């Protein structure tokens, strides 16, 4: 039997991570997520389409890959308190790994801008939650200034080699599973860290380079317009970012790979969100579905070469955003407790 999985820092990828023998492994056994073939997307596109289910990470998003590295190094450095700005998943991840490592965590979130499941996680993991009356950008500016002037360590991915190094491992896993890099890699883009790290991962692994296709929500698509968006709007809250902090590296990933960054509407995002669940049995959060919506849009536009191998990062777990799940097509049938009545309600009897 193969050795049990013990997280990224104690995996075959350890030599590629910025740790030393003295670095303690603060881990929840993140990584090693499923790579599932999507029958319905293969049929719709004529390609070989694979879903990298990052919602299967311990706190339900890819953020855990970088957080295990950042928090492990923070404990090694004697840090007592970490801080981050977040559209939700970074806060859940930072709070969990801080709890695991015995550190305090403070998370800055835009008031009303975070899915409830993520807030519930941060709260239960014991983080100090600050609701900032402003945007994600306001949260990030405040978090950076706090870290500059107070004894707290910033664990956002912007300019953070530890977070990016951890996030590169998703590319290593995909290459190892497929035997080579895919032709195209689709993912949602918010602050820009993940497209940057994933591209770097492929480049460093040296077993092929996909074209990077990033997708933003149409109401929050600064990288598509080439200018910041003052009031970013989308119900896919994880990618509600108007001014990505990792702007230049994200654009470099697009250009060096011969890829693109496109925009998809919320209607397209939520259609893809429902199809993924209904047709593939994969419950991803709305932001993740932007990557699927984008692939389908590029296919319709004739930019997808038939027969291509495509990997899609499904960045986060659908359970994080129950309000999105129940918003429109939730239609339970009422019934009394008698079996005969339940059968009638289901149309099994007349
Ligand atoms: C953080 C996040 C994103 C965006 O990633 P960036 O690195 O900010 O571009 C997309 N989807 C989900 C679910 C996320 O949590």
């Amino acid at each position: 039997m193969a050795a049990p999985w013990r997280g990224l820092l104690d995996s075959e990828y350890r030599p590629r991570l910025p740790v030393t023998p003295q670095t303690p492994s603060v881990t929840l056994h993140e990584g090693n997520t499923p790579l599932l073939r999507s029958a319905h997307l293969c049929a719709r596109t004529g390609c070989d389409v694979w879903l990298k289910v990052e919602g299967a990470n311990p706190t339900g998003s890819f953020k855990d890959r970088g957080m295990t590295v950042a928090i492990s190094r923070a404990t090694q450095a004697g840090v007592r308190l970490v801080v981050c700005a977040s559209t939700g998943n970074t806060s859940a991840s930072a709070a969990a790994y801080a709890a695991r490592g015995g550190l305090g965590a403070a998370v800055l979130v835009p008031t009303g801008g975070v899915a409830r499941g993520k807030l519930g996680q941060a709260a239960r993991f014991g983080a100090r939650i600050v609701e900032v009356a402003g945007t994600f950008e306001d949260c990030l500016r405040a978090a950076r200034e706090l870290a500059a002037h107070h004894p707290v360590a910033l664990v956002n991915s912007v300019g953070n080699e530890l977070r990016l190094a951890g996030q590169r491992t998703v590319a290593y896993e995909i290459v190892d599973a497929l035997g080579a890099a895919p032709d195209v890699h689709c993912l949602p883009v918010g602050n820009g860290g993940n497209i940057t790290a994933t591209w770097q991962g492929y480049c460093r692994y040296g077993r092929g380079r996909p074209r990077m296709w990033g997708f933003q929500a149409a109401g929050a698509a600064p990288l598509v317009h080439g200018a910041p968006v003052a009031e970013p709007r989308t119900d896919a809250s994880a990618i509600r970012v108007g001014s990505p902090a990792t702007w230049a590296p994200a654009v470099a990933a697009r250009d060096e790979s011969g890829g693109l960054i496109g925009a998809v509407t919320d209607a397209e995002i939520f259609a893809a969100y429902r199809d993924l669940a209904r047709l593939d049995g994969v419950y991803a959060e709305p932001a993740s579905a932007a990557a699927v919506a984008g692939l389908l849009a590029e296919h319709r536009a004739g930019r997808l070469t038939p027969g291509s191998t495509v990997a899609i990062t499904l960045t986060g777990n659908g359970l994080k955003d129950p309000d999105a799940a129940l918003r429109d097509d939730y239609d339970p049938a009422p019934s009394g407790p008698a079996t005969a009545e339940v059968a009638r309600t289901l149309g099994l009897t007349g």
Side-chain angles (χ1 to χ4, degrees):
M1 205 181 97
W5 182 258
R6 289 166 55 226
L8 293 170
L9 291 174
D10 298 297
S11 74
E12 68 210 81
Y13 307 124
R14 182 182 178 92
R16 299 177 177 275
L17 296 171
V19 291
T20 66
Q22 287 71 44
T23 310
S25 292
V26 181
T27 180
L28 293 160
H29 292 196
E30 60 295 313
N32 195 27
T33 54
L35 185 69
L36 301 177
R37 198 159 183 273
S38 167
H40 99 271
L41 290 173
C42 291
R44 282 172 79 171
T45 62
C47 290
D48 198 22
V49 184
W50 296 87
L51 307 173
K52 185 64 169 164
V53 186
E54 290 292 281
N57 275 299
T59 78
S61 84
F62 75 85
K63 303 294 200 301
D64 294 345
R65 292 183 182 273
M67 206 57 76
T68 185
V69 182
I71 300 289
S72 294
R73 286 281 303 270
T75 57
Q76 183 181 10
V79 167
R80 306 292 314 149
L81 180 66
V82 296
V83 65
C84 68
S86 179
T87 58
N89 281 328
T90 300
S91 69
S93 187
Y97 283 82
R100 188 88 182 154
L103 310 183
V107 305
L108 279 52
V109 296
T111 307
V114 173
R116 281 146 55 87
K118 305 174 188 180
L119 285 178
Q121 287 180 290
R124 293 287 65 78
F125 291 130
R128 287 293 304 277
I129 301 173
V130 182
E131 289 200 347
V132 174
T135 60
F136 167 76
E137 285 76 3
D138 293 317
C139 295
L140 184 55
R141 177 190 38 73
R144 291 171 105 162
E145 288 171 9
L146 280 176
H149 300 293
H150 300 275
V152 298
L154 185 71
V155 292
N156 278 101
S157 63
V158 48
N160 187 332
E161 168 60 20
L162 306 179
R163 288 279 311 278
L164 294 175
Q167 288 181 206
R168 284 177 203 134
T169 57
V170 74
Y172 311 155
E173 290 181 14
I174 291 169
V175 169
D176 284 340
L178 297 178
D183 301 306
V184 174
H185 188 117
C186 298
L187 76 177
V189 177
N191 211 24
N194 205 32
I195 190 171
T196 301
T198 304
W199 171 241
Q200 291 173 347
Y202 284 116
C203 293
R204 290 181 186 217
Y205 218 42
R207 288 163 64 189
R209 298 179 178 200
R211 281 179 287 151
M212 300 300 294
W213 286 7
F215 297 98
Q216 302 197 287
L223 296 172
V224 179
H225 305 311
V229 174
E231 286 181 37
R233 282 182 220 276
T234 170
D235 284 332
S237 55
I239 52 173
R240 194 184 294 138
V241 178
S243 183
T246 312
W247 187 301
V251 168
R254 175 194 70 190
D255 295 344
E256 289 170 16
S257 74
L260 58 86
I261 297 179
V264 285
T265 66
D266 272 24
E268 292 176 295
I269 290 173
F270 278 85
Y273 165 75
R274 284 189 281 268
D275 282 352
L276 269 176
R278 213 164 39 87
L279 303 175
D280 282 316
V282 175
Y283 193 22
E285 68 174 280
S288 308
V292 175
L295 175 70
L296 293 173
E298 297 305 325
H299 171 60
R300 283 195 303 275
R303 281 189 281 269
L304 183 62
T305 307
S308 297
T309 299
V310 179
I312 302 176
T313 313
L314 296 180
T315 45
N317 193 309
L319 288 169
K320 289 180 170 267
D321 196 348
D323 297 317
L326 300 176
R327 194 166 298 144
D328 27 53
D329 56 0
Y330 178 63
D331 188 22
S335 171
T339 305
E341 194 181 330
V342 176
R344 245 193 332 275
T345 304
L346 289 172
L348 298 173
T349 53

